[in-house]
Amino acid sequence: MRRAAAFLGTAALCLNPISSLVVLGWLERQARRSVLSRWWEARTEPAVPLDDFLAASDPAGGRLSPFFSGAKALFNTYVLTLPGCVLWLFAWYDGWNNSFDKGYEQAWVAPVTGLFGTALFAAAMLYVPLAQARQAASGEWRDFYRFDVVWAVARTKWLSCASLAALYAALSVPLFALRSLPSLFTLGQAHPGRFLLGYSYLACLYVLAACAAARLAAARVYAAGLLELVRAGELPPERLAAREREALGRLGLLRSEPPAPRHVLLRALGWAGTRTGLTLSTTGALGCWGAFVFLIFASQFFNFRPRSGWLNQPFVQMPWFRLRPFDRITR
Amino acid sequence: MPPLPERLTRRGFLAGLGALGSFDRLARAAESLSPARPEYVGLNAVLIRFGGGARRQETIDPKGTFSPFLCHEMTKRGTLFDNMEIAGLKGLDTSHGQGTLNILTGAYDKYKDVQGAFLGEHFEAKVPTVFERLRAAFDVAEHEALIVNGEDRRQEEFFSFSSHPDFGQPYRASVLSLYRFKTYLLRRQLAAWDGKAAELDKKKSELAKLEDLDYRVKGNRGQSARIESFWEKWRSYWGDSGLVNPRGDRLLTELSLWALRELKPRLMIVHYNDCDYVHWGNASHYTRGISIMDDGLRQLVSAVEADPFYRDRTVFFVMPDCGRDDNQLKAVPFQHHFNSRSAHEVFALLAGPGVAAGRVIGRPTQQIDIAPTLGRLMGFAMPHAQGEPLREAFS
């Protein structure tokens, strides 16, 4: 009952961009606890109750810490994803302006800009979900940019990363519907602001649940991948973040257990299989992110939102969803 | 017109030109076999399809208009039916092709793509259009009944005739559009080709693809001699590239002005459409589109007043094909026209001789009333029309 009430209350925070940062901070904390729980499941040391382990490894912060944690997470995510989003905005704006004016000579500009923006975003998203999980696990904003560690995890868990991309794409289908449906409504026209507030809140219930699912899935993938690298001796403890090193040490998981040597033929086959798998999964993941972007464009056709429609994707950036009615002043 | 030979010689080129003339003569011969039709001496008519989907708020409402010439000037000269609608019948869509055919036929129909394509809009009218009725009743040449069409909606090129067995192709209208110019240009370029064979094949394939759009016309796919002559003059002025002439709805205005000067159509419809770009979210495309149409209307009215052939002998019909949504839940409430109440709300303004000036009629009327009203003013019957003439317009 308390959890349900907390969930309903947290969903309301998703209606505003500032309060959604608090939600993002909360999601960071849940991701961190998910990573720690995954490691606890794999422990080799005598059992410490999970709650005690979590309390020791993830002490509660100050009252404002969720907000600052969320702000730091958002900033880092925007560094890598905002360029693609901005290019979409300008591609759409310029493309349709050019089309209206029949500027045949510049017809290529908008599609190329849009495709380039999509490529940038998709490439960033091969990295960002795991980087977000890393930042959540370590609690340090700088660890988001440890490309060597994050990319090593991605390469180790290539199939899981492709599945993660598919999950994001699948979760974005209901979001597309939620964004687009008001185009078809005849309800709520008398009091559009009030109607849309209620509608947006109901949508936020989905957005919050889906954001949590996506972030927790990424956290599990990161936790499993990092542990695998540590155990295989491919990631020495000194390259881990301090909190990661401490938590893994408490659980006796810092010992590396290099795999038994294999026949050179088996090693070659394994290498080839991994390379093929990596290529295929990267292609698959890029395809899923392409589908994710396609749904953004499609929802803009049905229900155009000039700025937030491009510059904030709730599952990736701020978990913020709010539709607003027509404002005659801005017409 | 015979198919183009693989390797065109001068003899072959001249034979082709002769065949073109033969086609024109054959068409006239076919027409002359039907009962003699009197010469047309009645009013001329210019139909302005004002959108692309345009709402009353941004057009005829003085408080919010982006079309001041229509709203403030034309309303003084004619009769405005400000409570016209597209009937809310099951299966009727509020969109451009459907609205245009409602206007041209005077009948509602549940139009479906003739090839069953998903989201396709290749429609055919099952009852004759006003062009066919005019040409069946009077000796009006094909080039004197005109559709001026934009490049974004090629499917509307083919509203020139219906699939009614007693009418159809022999009574069709001519069409002026970039598409028609391109087919004319390609034929000319192929006829005078002296370049590489590979390029020739490419051009032929391009021409075949363009002409296959006109799927109902088999064999003779050329344009009439008068239209070809029109394009010759257009080409000598604007060139081949398509980059020099005006663009978008301004191109339609230019084509219409040229048509009035060169072809002297008795009945012409102009398919303005650019305000429909608001589908992609930019609200100013809608309002600018309306302003561009308004300016086009102003130029056409001026041209008509300056030409003795048209002055005091031409009636204007100005009406949108459909309205647009008024969805207050969206940042751009008029982004689409998804069969909402507002998308069914249209208007019609009639101005010219035989039409009462300065009247505003608020009684409910239907979009299908336009065709029989046009018929009454021009003197031909529209027995297949479901609508009724707008009697308040007659002075």
Side-chain angles (χ1 to χ4, degrees):
Chain A
M1 197 66 186
R2 267 185 65 193
R3 279 196 173 180
F7 179 78
L8 292 174
T10 307
L13 296 178
C14 294
L15 290 169
N16 181 281
I18 305 297
S19 57
S20 75
L21 291 178
V22 175
V23 177
L24 189 55
W26 176 80
L27 286 171
E28 287 274 288
R29 187 146 195 247
Q30 300 312 307
R32 179 162 54 250
R33 291 166 82 87
S34 177
V35 169
L36 292 170
S37 301
R38 176 66 182 82
W39 291 339
W40 183 85
E41 287 162 12
R43 67 198 183 282
T44 57
E45 290 293 312
V48 176
L50 176 61
D51 289 343
D52 293 343
F53 170 69
L54 289 175
S57 304
D58 181 35
R63 280 207 172 165
L64 291 178
S65 68
F67 176 82
F68 288 120
S69 170
K72 282 186 267 188
L74 179 67
F75 177 83
N76 284 343
T77 303
Y78 265 141
V79 166
L80 293 189
T81 59
L82 193 61
C85 299
V86 169
L87 287 176
W88 296 336
L89 185 154
F90 280 104
W92 188 268
Y93 170 78
D94 176 70
W96 292 116
N97 255 343
N98 190 59
S99 210
F100 180 83
D101 293 325
K102 301 287 188 290
Y104 311 114
E105 301 92 323
Q106 296 90 24
W108 61 273
V109 172
V112 167
T113 307
L115 284 171
F116 184 52
T118 302
L120 271 184
F121 183 85
M125 292 309 294
L126 293 177
Y127 179 86
V128 163
L130 290 185
Q132 288 172 333
R134 177 142 220 256
Q135 182 175 349
S138 74
E140 281 293 324
W141 67 268
R142 286 182 189 81
D143 289 320
F144 183 94
Y145 298 105
R146 287 296 304 273
F147 296 103
D148 55 337
V149 174
V150 176
W151 195 239
V153 172
R155 286 168 62 91
T156 301
K157 303 300 282 181
W158 44 267
L159 189 57
S160 299
C161 287
S163 305
L164 195 57
L167 175 66
Y168 271 83
L171 288 174
S172 65
V173 174
L175 182 64
F176 155 75
L178 289 168
R179 279 171 161 167
S180 307
L181 278 173
S183 276
L184 306 172
F185 285 170
T186 50
L187 308 163
Q189 299 289 329
H191 301 284
R194 220 184 295 162
F195 179 87
L196 281 179
L197 181 59
Y199 177 86
S200 297
Y201 174 71
L202 291 174
C204 283
L205 294 173
Y206 172 75
V207 167
L208 179 60
C211 277
R215 297 272 177 155
L216 292 178
R220 298 289 285 189
V221 171
Y222 175 75
L226 193 83
L227 189 58
E228 216 173 291
L229 286 170
V230 169
R231 278 178 166 166
E234 291 176 37
L235 193 59
E238 48 273 18
R239 284 171 65 191
L240 297 173
R243 265 193 183 176
E244 290 172 339
R245 193 165 49 243
E246 197 184 309
L248 287 170
R250 234 184 243 131
L251 297 169
L253 293 172
L254 283 177
R255 283 187 297 271
S256 68
E257 297 157 7
R262 292 184 294 170
H263 190 272
V264 63
L265 205 58
L266 285 173
R267 271 191 282 137
L269 277 172
W271 178 88
T274 304
R275 296 296 285 189
T276 308
L278 191 59
T279 306
L280 286 173
S281 72
T282 305
T283 308
L286 286 172
C288 290
W289 289 118
F292 183 89
V293 172
F294 170 77
L295 287 173
I296 294 167
F297 278 77
S299 72
Q300 287 289 70
F301 170 75
F302 282 102
N303 188 5
F304 183 68
R305 288 153 308 119
R307 287 169 291 277
S308 63
W310 301 116
L311 301 179
N312 184 62
Q313 308 311 320
F315 301 152
V316 177
Q317 293 145 343
M318 281 183 280
W320 164 45
F321 184 97
R322 177 73 188 271
L323 297 180
R324 291 194 181 277
F326 171 60
D327 177 351
R328 288 184 197 281
I329 295 165
T330 60
R331 180 171 75 149
Chain B
M1 193 165 187
L4 289 172
E6 285 297 311
R7 192 169 161 275
L8 191 64
T9 60
R10 180 172 174 273
R11 187 175 184 155
F13 170 61
L14 289 172
L17 274 187
L20 174 64
S22 299
F23 162 68
D24 209 37
R25 284 199 294 276
L26 271 172
R28 287 199 166 271
E31 287 173 7
S32 72
L33 289 174
S34 56
R37 292 166 296 154
E39 187 192 349
Y40 183 68
V41 295
L43 292 173
N44 307 305
V46 177
L47 278 57
I48 305 290
R49 189 185 79 178
F50 211 73
R55 305 191 305 178
R56 296 172 188 165
Q57 290 97 307
E58 287 83 25
T59 51
I60 58 170
D61 183 349
K63 286 199 291 284
T65 186
F66 282 83
S67 51
F69 181 74
L70 169 68
C71 182
H72 301 312
E73 185 58 39
M74 290 297 284
T75 50
K76 285 186 215 159
R77 304 182 187 199
T79 303
L80 173 66
F81 293 85
D82 66 357
N83 194 14
M84 184 171 280
E85 66 164 20
I86 301 168
L89 303 171
K90 198 169 175 220
L92 277 195
D93 289 324
T94 49
S95 191
H96 316 300
Q98 296 91 331
T100 306
L101 287 175
N102 295 343
I103 291 165
L104 292 179
T105 63
Y108 290 127
D109 196 355
K110 295 171 193 173
Y111 293 105
K112 297 269 181 260
D113 183 81
V114 291
Q115 286 151 343
F118 176 63
L119 297 180
E121 290 197 328
H122 261 108
F123 304 139
E124 286 176 15
K126 297 188 195 74
V127 299
T129 64
V130 288
F131 301 111
E132 292 157 276
R133 279 288 177 192
L134 174 68
R135 293 195 63 212
F138 298 100
D139 184 18
V140 171
E142 191 182 316
H143 67 269
E144 293 176 316
L146 275 184
I147 294 175
V148 183
N149 196 46
E151 64 195 283
D152 288 336
R153 295 189 61 80
R154 266 192 199 161
Q155 61 272 45
E156 291 172 8
E157 301 273 328
F158 313 108
F159 290 174
S160 50
F161 61 97
S162 67
S163 59
H164 194 281
D166 297 337
F167 291 84
Q169 199 174 331
Y171 302 102
R172 68 180 176 180
S174 284
V175 182
L176 296 181
S177 65
L178 263 192
Y179 156 74
R180 300 280 165 159
F181 177 62
K182 278 179 192 168
T183 54
Y184 155 83
L185 195 61
L186 275 169
R187 281 191 163 265
R188 280 284 176 265
Q189 287 172 344
L190 287 169
W193 191 259
D194 61 354
K196 294 181 186 159
E199 270 292 313
L200 174 67
D201 288 338
K202 198 173 154 202
K203 291 266 180 195
K204 277 190 190 172
S205 160
E206 209 182 312
L207 177 63
K209 218 164 123 182
L210 283 178
E211 291 189 331
D212 280 345
L213 291 174
D214 203 355
Y215 58 91
R216 290 183 294 173
V217 177
K218 307 287 179 214
N220 297 323
R221 284 177 160 178
Q223 302 176 67
S224 70
R226 282 296 296 269
I227 299 293
E228 297 251 329
S229 165
F230 175 92
W231 288 130
E232 191 62 48
K233 288 180 186 164
W234 179 272
R235 183 188 184 190
S236 68
Y237 188 85
W238 295 112
D240 290 6
S241 68
L243 301 178
V244 177
N245 48 260
R247 306 186 193 186
D249 279 351
R250 290 188 179 98
L251 170 63
L252 270 60
T253 302
E254 191 67 24
L255 278 171
S256 304
L257 291 169
W258 274 62
L260 291 173
R261 197 172 64 231
E262 302 290 335
L263 298 173
K264 298 285 188 257
R266 309 314 296 258
L267 174 60
M268 177 171 76
I269 185 168
V270 186
H271 285 176
Y272 288 126
N273 204 71
D274 282 352
C275 61
D276 199 45
Y277 268 94
V278 69
H279 272 306
W280 306 101
N282 191 332
S284 71
H285 288 164
Y286 174 56
T287 50
R288 275 176 56 209
I290 288 173
S291 299
I292 289 169
M293 289 192 291
D294 190 60
D295 190 60
L297 172 63
R298 186 185 54 74
Q299 291 185 61
L300 289 169
V301 168
S302 297
V304 155
E305 286 171 349
D307 188 335
F309 184 84
Y310 289 106
R311 188 189 315 131
D312 299 327
R313 298 176 59 201
T314 305
V315 61
F316 277 87
F317 283 66
V318 185
M319 63 265 138
D321 44 7
C322 61
R324 300 201 80 86
D325 295 339
D326 188 24
N327 191 334
Q328 298 301 309
L329 302 178
K330 295 175 60 167
V332 184
F334 39 81
Q335 189 179 353
H336 299 299
H337 41 85
F338 284 162
N339 235 324
S340 60
R341 185 179 56 85
S342 175
H344 283 261
E345 292 173 352
V346 291
F347 64 87
L349 182 130
L350 285 61
V355 177
R359 272 194 204 161
V360 178
I361 307 300
R363 74 167 174 93
T365 50
Q366 293 289 319
Q367 194 178 46
I368 52 171
D369 295 338
I370 292 167
T373 308
L374 178 66
R376 174 80 70 86
L377 283 168
M378 293 186 82
F380 57 84
M382 290 286 296
H384 291 94
Q386 300 159 357
E388 295 291 326
L390 299 164
R391 56 184 185 282
E392 295 93 338
F394 306 127
S395 57

